């Protein structure tokens, strides 16, 4: 941020301004290098903070316990709400300063804010709960895979109690409880089979971790594998609204952008994204206050609905958003045709830009349900020692979704072109394109993605966690199977339903 701010202030680091947009001087290679270095450092910085901030902040609230589930929903709503408020300030205040004052101050203010945030983080550091590092989870995953491959010819025992467990070895990575054996992905159970070669080392309590793994470590790998299908569904979800920053802006440029009929002020096309963010903020603000109490009356779940249900609602609303977008485009082109403006891409079509608000709003509502539900789900269902890894998968899916959107446009350009080279998404005159077909195609892909998501959710096995009761309780073990029921492992019967879950 400092480098890019300095490059905006000092003229030698950027090309001269060109108000006429004619014969403008391009940036030199050295000037571009400064820009690329700053963007590269930004990517590295975000790669370090974004996966860790959510997991670290959630750890401060100790919301991994089953009795803290309602609190966790509240936390993730607040996190995404604040993230959305930051986006809203960037789309309004920062953009206004960049346009009306200077790019230097437009970049300088976020840089100052980043410095203040970093100082606040350092000052508060002594107050944070900090988990002691217990080694790389990726090494443990590799050890499980290698051990399973080495024992690929060994038959997995029917009785899972014969598999290797060592609670002392796993104590540092299972403070919230041991992961219990599941019957899915049983091929990896080979890593926990005790062979004659392992017995010698186990008798001296010095297991060779590249030859044998505990059930807990095998279940860590299983838990992450079970999350991957849900991560993949997010790629197409993001792809579906990636056009908000391209084609929707192209539509807005051709429409009447006056705030009112009598006002001379026009809404900048890129600022239409404010409606997306506003819808997201309002939905998150009302979610805890209105939706959760209402849904709880029917579901008897203090969180209203489960994470998977919340994500499913987000998918459905996102489908509606692109479907509405196709009908709005049909309306826009119909008005353009009536006024004989199809061949005049620079002329304003007499249709209000507010026709785009419904699809922006629906995309915002969809994100409030899907993205927050996915954050909660990945945090809750990932192994204790791999929370930040799960959060990294969340952001990776968003990045891949943006690339998938680009790939989608490229394929549409290629395969929708006719003999004259005209395709659905022309670069110069969107009026002559078939943007409504593109929206319908994206809608169809999302329907298929929703069916895929439903299948994944139907066969998903929740992470089973064995917990030891705290002092003052009966000291029995509890196996947390799902969000609503606690099972007594010692006595082998269902316990009472957890009211706070």
């Amino acid at each position: 941020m400092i480098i890019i701010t300095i490059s905006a202030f000092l003229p030698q680091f950027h090309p001269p301004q060109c108000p006429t947009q004619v014969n403008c001087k391009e940036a030199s290679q050295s000037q571009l290098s400064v820009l690329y270095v700053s963007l590269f450092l930004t990517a590295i910085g975000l790669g370090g903070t974004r996966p860790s901030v959510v997991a670290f902040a959630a750890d401060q609230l100790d919301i991994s316990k089953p009795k803290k589930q309602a609190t966790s929903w509240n936390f993730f709503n607040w996190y995404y709400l604040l993230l959305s408020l930051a986006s809203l300030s960037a789309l309004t205040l920062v953009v206004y300063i960049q346009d009306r004052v200077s790019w230097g101050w437009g970049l300088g203010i976020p840089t100052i804010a980043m410095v203040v945030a970093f100082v606040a983080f350092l000052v508060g550091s002594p107050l944070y709960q900090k988990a002691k590092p217990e080694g790389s989870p990726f090494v443990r995953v590799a050890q499980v895979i290698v051990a399973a491959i080495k024992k690929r010819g060994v038959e997995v025992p029917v009785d899972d109690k014969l598999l290797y467990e060592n609670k002392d070895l796993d104590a540092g990575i299972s403070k919230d409880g041991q992961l219990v054996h599941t019957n899915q992905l049983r091929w990896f159970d080979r890593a926990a089979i005790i062979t004659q070669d392992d017995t010698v080392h186990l008798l001296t309590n010095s297991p060779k971790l590249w030859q044998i793994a505990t059930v807990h470590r095998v279940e860590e790998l299983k838990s992450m594998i079970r999350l991957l299908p849900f991560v993949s569904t997010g790629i197409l979800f993001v792809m579906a609204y990636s056009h908000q920053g391209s084609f929707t802006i192209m539509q807005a440029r051709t429409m009447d952008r006056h705030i009112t009929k009598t006002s001379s002020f026009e809404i900048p096309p890129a600022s239409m994204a404010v409606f997306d963010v506003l819808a997201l903020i309002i939905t998150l603000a009302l979610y805890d206050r209105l939706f959760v109490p209402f849904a709880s009356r029917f579901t008897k779940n203090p969180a209203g609905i489960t994470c998977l249900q919340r994500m499913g609602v987000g998918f459905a609303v996102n489908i509606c958003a692109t479907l509405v977008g196709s009908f709005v485009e049909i309306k826009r082109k119909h008005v353009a045709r009536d006024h004989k403006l199809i061949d005049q891409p620079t002329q304003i079509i007499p249709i209000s830009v507010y026709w785009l608000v419904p699809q922006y709003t629906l995309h915002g509502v969809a994100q409030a349900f899907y993205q927050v539900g996915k954050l909660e789900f990945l945090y809750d269902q990932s192994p204790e020692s791999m929370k930040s890894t799960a959060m990294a998968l969340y952001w990776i899916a968003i990045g891949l979704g943006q690339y998938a959107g680009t790939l989608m446009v490229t394929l549409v350009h290629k395969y929708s072109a006719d003999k004259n080279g005209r395709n659905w998404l022309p670069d110069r005159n969107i009026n002559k394109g078939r943007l409504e077909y593109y929206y319908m195609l994206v809608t169809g892909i999302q329907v298929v993605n929703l069916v895929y998501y439903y299948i994944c959710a139907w066969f998903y096995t929740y992470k089973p966690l064995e917990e030891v009761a705290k002092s003052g309780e009966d000291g029995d073990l509890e196996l947390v199977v799902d969000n609503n029921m606690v099972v007594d492992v010692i006595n082998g019967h269902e316990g009472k339903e957890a009211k706070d879950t």
Side-chain angles (χ1 to χ4, degrees), residues 20 44 46 54 84 153 251 363 479:
T20 62
I44 293 178
L46 290 176
V54 180
S84 302
Q251 289 175 284
H363 278 302
L479 176 62

Side-chain angles (χ1 to χ4, degrees), residues 98 161 276 290 438 463 465 500:
Q98 290 173 347
K161 293 181 180 179
D276 185 326
L290 297 180
Y438 172 80
K463 177 186 70 176
L465 189 66
D500 296 328

Side-chain angles (χ1 to χ4, degrees), residues 314-427:
F315 273 120
V317 176
N318 213 41
I319 291 173
C320 294
T322 50
L323 186 61
V324 168
S326 66
F327 290 125
V328 171
E329 174 61 8
I330 292 173
K331 172 66 176 179
R332 188 191 69 85
K333 289 173 62 176
H334 179 73
V335 175
R337 192 175 295 108
D338 288 345
H339 291 80
K340 296 180 174 54
L341 297 175
I342 291 292
D343 296 320
Q344 302 181 47
T346 59
Q347 295 297 314
I348 299 298
I349 301 171
I351 179 174
S352 174
V353 76
Y354 290 123
W355 276 85
L356 298 175
V357 172
Q359 66 193 75
Y360 273 110
T361 301
L362 288 172
H363 278 302
V365 173
Q367 289 185 69
F369 276 88
Y370 176 79
Q371 299 290 20
V372 180
K374 186 178 178 182
L375 273 174
E376 160 72 12
F377 178 74
L378 292 179
Y379 181 87
D380 179 64
Q381 292 299 305
S382 58
E384 175 186 334
S385 62
M386 302 182 74
K387 301 293 187 185
S388 60
T389 304
M391 294 299 101
L393 291 175
Y394 170 86
W395 291 107
I396 287 172
I398 292 179
L400 292 177
Q402 297 289 350
Y403 282 116
T406 303
L407 177 62
M408 178 77 171
V409 172
T410 302
L411 294 176
V412 169
H413 270 288
K414 180 178 179 180
Y415 292 104
S416 68
D418 58 19
K419 295 179 180 180
N420 298 321
R422 292 178 298 184
N423 58 69
W424 290 359
L425 307 172
D427 296 327

Side-chain angles (χ1 to χ4, degrees), residues 176-205:
D176 292 333
Q178 291 271 331
L179 290 173
V180 181
H181 178 265
T182 59
N183 289 322
Q184 286 184 327
L185 303 170
R186 286 182 61 83
W187 188 87
F188 293 104
D189 290 344
R190 289 174 168 79
I193 297 174
I194 302 175
T195 62
Q196 188 172 1
D197 294 335
D198 299 320
T199 305
V200 178
H201 303 291
L202 296 181
L203 289 175
T204 59
N205 199 26

Side-chain angles (χ1 to χ4, degrees), residues 455-468:
I455 295 173
C456 293
W458 181 266
F459 289 101
Y460 181 72
T461 298
Y462 278 89
K463 177 186 70 176
L465 189 66
E466 181 185 82
E467 292 189 322
V468 180

